[in-house]
Amino acid sequence: MGQGGEPRRVRAHDGELGAAVARAQEGDETAFAVAYRLVQPGLLGYLRGLVGDDAEDVASDAWLEISRDLGRFKGDGAGFRGWSATIARHRALDHLRRQKVRPRSSALEQDVLELPGPHSTHDQALESISTERALDLVGGLPRDQAEAVLLRVVVGLDAPTAARVLGKRPGAVRTAAYRGLKRLAKQLGVASVTDDGPRTLGESK
């Protein structure tokens, strides 16, 4: 799949993102614009999976909160990506409560069993599905799987950071992402989505 590998491209910018956030915290508006440019596409994709066509409005609310609370943030580029995803998720859930609807991805909320499995397999699977394809298909997944796939594939978070966003254990998020990707692969008619070895990142930190 030629368009796979978004998480690697996303994470490649985390050094630049961390530097921009540090400058923005000192009042550099241009640096804040750089941070916005690096984070917004993934954030918008994640929100699109949660709230559909209202994603841009929810993202605007999230960025207002991000800019207001920026001085309280402590961490690097990857940490900022996770922190901003947490804020966006809270705004999305607030929006859905106001709308009295469930997230588009599904009505199913359930605890995910923490099954053991080779982490590299999960990462290979994540790397081999493109952002665009994931967004097309993720609407049919149970909510826990959909959010795990969106945070890992579209936002580019590692499992521990995605787990913090969702308030779950990293193993549960890995399992949810793995199950979601297996289901997506089945929809795509692919026997396995784990054969694309060169794109593997391995576990992040």
Side-chain angles (χ1 to χ4, degrees):
M1 292 185 199
Q3 292 191 23
E6 275 81 354
R8 175 174 15 196
R9 288 205 294 275
V10 164
R11 292 173 198 152
H13 292 298
D14 278 346
E16 181 186 355
L17 176 58
V21 170
R23 292 197 310 274
Q25 288 179 312
E26 295 167 0
D28 185 335
E29 290 183 16
T30 304
F32 187 82
V34 170
Y36 174 88
R37 176 176 56 78
L38 291 172
V39 172
Q40 171 69 351
L43 213 58
L44 197 58
Y46 174 48
L47 289 170
R48 202 167 286 131
L50 290 178
V51 300
D53 292 339
D54 294 328
E56 299 230 4
D57 290 341
V58 174
S60 295
D61 290 344
W63 279 105
L64 283 172
E65 185 170 340
I66 290 164
S67 63
R68 187 191 70 209
D69 294 344
L70 187 63
R72 295 204 326 237
F73 170 74
K74 291 181 174 59
D76 58 8
F80 182 78
R81 208 180 288 285
W83 181 69
S84 58
T86 301
I87 290 173
R89 183 174 192 262
H90 289 159
R91 296 289 68 78
L93 295 177
D94 286 347
H95 174 82
L96 292 166
R97 275 193 287 272
R98 285 196 301 272
Q99 301 259 322
K100 292 190 167 53
V101 296
R102 290 183 179 272
R104 215 173 45 129
S105 37
S106 100
L108 184 61
E109 266 286 3
Q110 61 183 11
D111 286 328
V112 181
L113 295 174
E114 237 181 292
L115 297 179
H119 300 157
S120 60
T121 301
H122 300 168
D123 287 336
Q124 286 172 356
L126 289 162
E127 291 294 345
S128 66
I129 288 189
S130 74
T131 295
E132 187 178 347
R133 198 69 178 122
L135 282 171
D136 286 344
L137 296 172
V138 81
L141 294 176
R143 179 175 160 187
D144 61 333
Q145 295 177 16
E147 284 205 75
V149 170
L150 287 166
L151 286 171
R152 301 288 318 266
V153 175
V154 180
V155 184
L157 302 183
D158 62 16
T161 306
R164 284 194 294 275
V165 172
L166 297 173
K168 293 176 181 267
R169 295 180 302 277
V173 173
R174 283 192 190 96
T175 301
Y178 179 68
R179 288 179 174 175
L181 286 162
K182 269 179 68 175
R183 190 180 289 213
L184 294 185
K186 195 172 179 183
Q187 290 178 36
L188 288 164
V190 177
S192 169
V193 292
T194 63
D195 297 331
D196 209 321
R199 291 208 185 106
T200 304
L201 287 170
E203 280 300 289
S204 300
K205 298 183 188 79

